[in-house]
Amino acid sequence: MTTLRAELRNFGRAEEALALLEVFLEVGLPWLGDTVLDPRGLLLPDELTDDRAVVQGLIEDIEGEPEPPKRLLTLAERAFDVSDEQARWDFTRLSYCSIAASVWSKGRRTTYFEVVNRERATYWLPDSLKARYFDAIAAKGWAVPEDWLAAVPKRPKPWWKRGR
């Protein structure tokens, strides 16, 4: 697994981070499970310059929906079917507006992407998915961020050290 930092402030323009997330959702689709965010308290980030009015409209539409029932120890989640192009676009923009957004592997065994408190954003990618992702970024004519290229994969502990 390789950890890649993806906060909006790490990019020249916020839209670059959003475009990279869209590419990830396209490339990772066969491996993706739930793609969800907390719909409560969505807030448009200052870094977002393009599509501000459209994203604000999405936020207002969600705020107009009935609030999901509250349950003990359960976060509110709004799911997005990222196989649909419009849902993928919506999730990409709204994920950075949410206090919690996640892209899970099938069965929710691994988190591939997460935004926390609208500020921290991280990818955790296995080597095979990372290679496909980087290839897709390059195929679109974009540059993979330098710090992502320099990120070293974390090696799992040997079996005899696990559980300690």
Side-chain angles (χ1 to χ4, degrees), residues 5 7 30 35 56 58 62 102 106:
R5 305 301 308 173
E7 287 82 8
T35 304
Q56 186 60 48
L58 289 172
I62 290 173
S102 300
K106 291 185 178 181

Side-chain angles (χ1 to χ4, degrees), residues 52-64:
R52 284 188 74 79
V54 176
V55 176
Q56 186 60 48
L58 289 172
I59 291 171
E60 290 168 6
D61 289 347
I62 290 173
E63 288 173 345

Side-chain angles (χ1 to χ4, degrees), residues 9-10 13 37 41 49 56 62 75 78 97 110 120 123 129 133 148:
R9 66 181 171 271
N10 291 354
R13 294 185 58 229
L37 57 79
T49 55
Q56 186 60 48
I62 290 173
L75 294 174
R78 185 174 201 278
C97 300
T110 304
R120 277 190 30 238
Y123 291 91
L129 185 51
Y133 180 38
W148 288 12

Side-chain angles (χ1 to χ4, degrees), residues 32-48:
L32 301 184
D34 295 333
T35 304
V36 296
L37 57 79
D38 187 336
R40 300 170 299 175
L42 295 171
L43 184 63
L44 194 63
D46 291 335
E47 294 92 346
L48 188 65

Side-chain angles (χ1 to χ4, degrees), residues 3-33:
T3 302
L4 307 173
R5 305 301 308 173
E7 287 82 8
L8 293 178
R9 66 181 171 271
N10 291 354
F11 298 91
R13 294 185 58 229
E15 288 72 15
E16 183 181 350
L18 301 178
L20 293 176
L21 178 54
E22 269 189 88
V23 172
F24 173 72
L25 295 174
E26 290 171 16
V27 169
L29 194 57
W31 296 274
L32 301 184

Side-chain angles (χ1 to χ4, degrees), residues 113-150:
F113 175 78
E114 180 179 61
V115 174
V116 177
N117 294 327
R118 298 178 202 100
E119 293 179 14
R120 277 190 30 238
T122 310
Y123 291 91
W124 293 279
L125 303 178
D127 290 342
S128 60
L129 185 51
K130 181 179 86 171
R132 290 173 196 246
Y133 180 38
F134 286 8
D135 289 346
I137 291 170
K140 290 189 180 278
W142 301 332
V144 176
E146 289 296 321
D147 58 327
W148 288 12
L149 292 171

Side-chain angles (χ1 to χ4, degrees), residues 66-126:
E67 192 167 319
K70 295 181 182 179
R71 292 180 279 173
L72 186 62
L73 302 174
T74 304
L75 294 174
E77 287 186 345
R78 185 174 201 278
F80 290 79
D81 176 7
V82 292
S83 64
D84 175 72
E85 190 175 335
Q86 184 63 53
R88 189 168 49 246
W89 192 94
D90 293 351
F91 176 79
T92 299
R93 271 91 191 146
L94 292 171
S95 63
Y96 282 94
C97 300
S98 179
I99 59 169
S102 300
V103 176
W104 293 89
S105 67
K106 291 185 178 181
R108 285 196 176 205
R109 295 192 59 187
T110 304
T111 306
Y112 288 139
F113 175 78
E114 180 179 61
V115 174
V116 177
N117 294 327
R118 298 178 202 100
E119 293 179 14
R120 277 190 30 238
T122 310
Y123 291 91
W124 293 279
L125 303 178

